[in-house]
Amino acid sequence: MSNDPKRASESSSARAEYFVISVAAQLAGMHAQTLRTYDRLGLVTPQRTSGGGRRYSERDVELLREVQRLSQDEGVNLAGIKRIIELTNQVSELQERVVELAAALERERARPDYRPELIPPQRNTALVVWQPRNRRR
């Protein structure tokens, strides 16, 4: 799985804008050194030029603002923010996969030789967890 959600959003636009680190820092309302730190920690991964310079997309700037909000307003530490970003990316990828699978299912159902009786019925797979009652002492 890819951890780069910006790739999909930017490929859909005809021309994506990229900002040098000083402009991205100003847009995000933080110091350029903070952006370097976030890049080193893997919180935000900007594109790179052939010379190694960082180029931040609008999506990267939005992510920087979200990192700042989580850190300052919510009190989440950087490790927690990194995990939130990873889980958010994973949810997005899974949602895309569900859409793909639903489309594949619809294509199958539209086939002239589709026979629903060949699909096994769904069983109830609910799990009940037993926990003992609190014992009186």
Side-chain angles (χ1 to χ4, degrees):
M1 278 191 221
S2 168
N3 285 338
D4 192 8
K6 67 183 174 188
R7 189 174 294 148
S9 65
E10 290 173 353
S11 65
S12 64
S13 64
R15 181 178 162 264
E17 277 191 76
Y18 291 92
F19 308 103
V20 294
I21 192 168
S22 59
V23 174
Q26 186 177 14
L27 290 171
M30 51 184 73
H31 195 276
Q33 189 61 40
T34 305
L35 274 65
R36 290 184 189 94
T37 301
Y38 290 170
D39 183 12
R40 189 176 65 253
L41 294 173
L43 294 174
V44 178
T45 308
Q47 298 286 324
R48 297 285 183 153
T49 64
S50 57
R54 294 172 175 90
R55 295 293 182 260
Y56 292 85
S57 67
E58 288 185 40
R59 169 74 176 104
D60 292 330
V61 173
E62 289 173 20
L63 187 55
L64 288 165
R65 289 179 184 143
E66 181 64 9
V67 168
Q68 187 175 43
R69 186 192 70 76
L70 287 169
S71 176
Q72 293 178 357
D73 298 346
E74 304 295 329
V76 180
N77 65 22
L78 294 181
I81 292 170
K82 185 173 184 175
R83 187 68 179 135
I84 289 169
I85 292 169
E86 290 168 353
L87 290 172
T88 301
N89 291 341
Q90 186 178 12
V91 166
S92 296
E93 290 170 0
L94 291 171
Q95 287 173 333
E96 289 173 17
R97 184 67 178 138
V98 166
V99 169
E100 291 170 7
L101 291 172
L105 179 60
E106 286 304 312
R107 285 191 303 274
E108 280 300 310
R109 287 181 174 160
R111 289 176 47 169
D113 61 340
Y114 174 72
R115 293 177 53 195
E117 67 273 8
L118 297 178
I119 299 173
Q122 294 290 325
R123 291 189 209 135
N124 185 351
T125 59
L127 176 65
V128 178
V129 179
W130 177 84
Q131 293 183 353
R133 295 181 184 180
N134 291 337
R135 295 182 182 161
R136 295 182 184 169
R137 294 182 185 195

